[in-house]
Amino acid sequence: MENWELKSFLLDFIKLEGPHSGANIKEAFLKSLKNFNIESNILRVTTDNASNNITFLKAVETDLSQRYIHFNTIQNDDESSDEEVDSLIHKLRILIKKIKASSQQEEKFRAQCKVANVPNLNVVLNVRTRWNSIYDMLVRARKLKEPLNTLSNSDLSLRPYVINEEEWVHLLEMEELLKEAAINAINKLKNYYNKTDSTLYAVSLILHPCLKVEYMKDNERERQWIDKTKKSVKNFFELYLPL
């Protein structure tokens, strides 16, 4: 920079061999820095939010002897980065795990529910193998926001996991986004029901010991669809009943 005029130079353009993984990008980046002897002169690294770039930046920070690089990812100002979202979900998850892991904490939490005059509901912890369980966790946390805030603010062991108002807004946005995604997925699946063998689907659904007709009721199927399903199953069995 001369006379406060920003200067820009292209120093290197590297053809990356092999997969474009964070590790490979890191090796190419550090090699280029070394070739130009500027390893200690880097002030900032700017990338987009691609997952391999995030991995690359973390690997570079670990590899360099001095942490003199300020990592800055370009992102839309109106959106949180994936890393921020993951961090917030992780924060809520740890708070809930700590409450569920201790009978004393659960007792304190129930007391706070009573003080806040909210339903005495259990906190819900998401299960990584069930994609919709994050939504369930967010919905329940929103309903129990006041006792969660009070308990985490009053207990030293939980204070690192206090969720502030801005973070609650982000959690609500995530909840609404997941709900919209689920609705769109269900509507998309409905388009394919008529393309399948509806009789076999109905029979397998009703004979399933964990599903049966209650599954359709619990998932808010239309009454007309439930009646049609029951009728098709009845006709199917009458067809094969011995005379």
Side-chain angles (χ1 to χ4, degrees), residues 6-243:
L6 182 64
K7 301 293 184 180
S8 175
F9 300 95
L10 177 63
L11 294 180
D12 209 348
F13 200 96
I14 303 169
K15 181 180 179 181
L16 196 63
E17 300 293 339
H20 289 198
S21 64
N24 274 356
I25 296 173
K26 182 206 76 170
E27 293 301 326
F29 178 74
L30 292 179
K31 182 179 180 180
S32 183
L33 293 185
K34 187 174 182 179
N35 289 340
F36 287 98
N37 194 27
I38 56 174
E39 292 171 284
S40 61
N41 298 331
I42 302 299
L43 297 178
R44 184 179 296 266
V45 175
T46 302
T47 74
D48 61 21
N49 283 333
S51 59
N52 56 346
N53 284 333
I54 300 298
T55 305
F56 147 66
L57 292 175
K58 290 179 178 178
V60 167
E61 185 180 27
T62 302
D63 194 278
L64 293 176
S65 57
Q66 297 180 359
R67 297 188 177 189
Y68 39 69
I69 295 181
H70 175 74
F71 297 99
N72 180 45
T73 54
I74 299 174
Q75 62 187 51
N76 189 323
D77 290 339
D78 295 329
E79 298 178 358
S80 299
S81 70
D82 291 342
E83 190 172 1
E84 288 173 336
V85 170
D86 289 343
S87 176
L88 184 51
I89 291 290
H90 183 63
K91 184 179 181 180
L92 175 63
R93 197 170 189 275
I94 292 178
L95 174 60
I96 292 173
K97 283 182 71 175
K98 286 186 173 293
I99 293 173
K100 291 176 70 70
S102 166
S103 58
Q104 290 87 356
Q105 292 289 14
E106 286 190 321
E107 186 176 343
K108 290 179 184 178
F109 181 72
R110 285 193 292 270
Q112 293 299 339
C113 287
K114 187 175 182 180
V115 171
N117 195 27
V118 299
N120 187 14
L121 301 171
N122 292 325
V123 285
V124 172
L125 183 65
N126 76 301
V127 180
R128 296 184 186 278
T129 54
R130 295 183 59 191
W131 66 270
N132 60 321
S133 63
I134 291 182
Y135 174 75
D136 295 336
M137 180 176 69
L138 292 175
V139 171
R140 182 59 57 85
R142 173 174 51 80
K143 292 179 179 179
L144 300 172
K145 173 184 173 182
E146 187 174 345
L148 282 172
N149 281 347
T150 305
L151 180 61
S152 56
N153 275 293
S154 62
D155 191 301
L156 286 176
S157 66
L158 300 179
R159 199 162 292 172
Y161 312 106
V162 170
I163 299 174
N164 61 43
E165 285 303 314
E166 183 180 355
E167 289 173 327
W168 278 113
V169 171
H170 287 315
L171 289 174
L172 178 59
E173 290 171 350
M174 281 184 259
E175 177 189 330
E176 292 174 344
L177 181 64
L178 288 172
K179 181 178 181 180
E180 183 179 355
I183 291 173
N184 290 337
I186 290 172
N187 289 336
K188 187 67 174 179
L189 287 173
K190 285 181 179 179
N191 295 332
Y192 294 93
Y193 279 144
N194 294 331
K195 300 180 185 297
T196 62
D197 188 329
S198 58
T199 301
L200 289 180
Y201 175 76
V203 170
S204 61
L205 184 66
I206 290 182
L207 290 183
H208 194 295
C210 296
L211 301 178
K212 301 185 178 293
V213 176
E214 294 304 316
Y215 172 82
M216 293 180 278
K217 294 178 180 178
D218 292 342
N219 287 274
E220 300 179 353
R221 297 287 188 227
E222 299 87 349
R223 184 69 208 181
Q224 182 180 0
W225 195 87
I226 295 176
D227 291 340
K228 179 182 176 182
T229 301
K230 291 167 67 176
K231 183 178 180 180
S232 64
V233 172
K234 181 180 179 182
N235 292 339
F236 180 83
F237 278 96
E238 286 179 347
L239 180 64
Y240 292 96
L241 281 175
L243 297 176

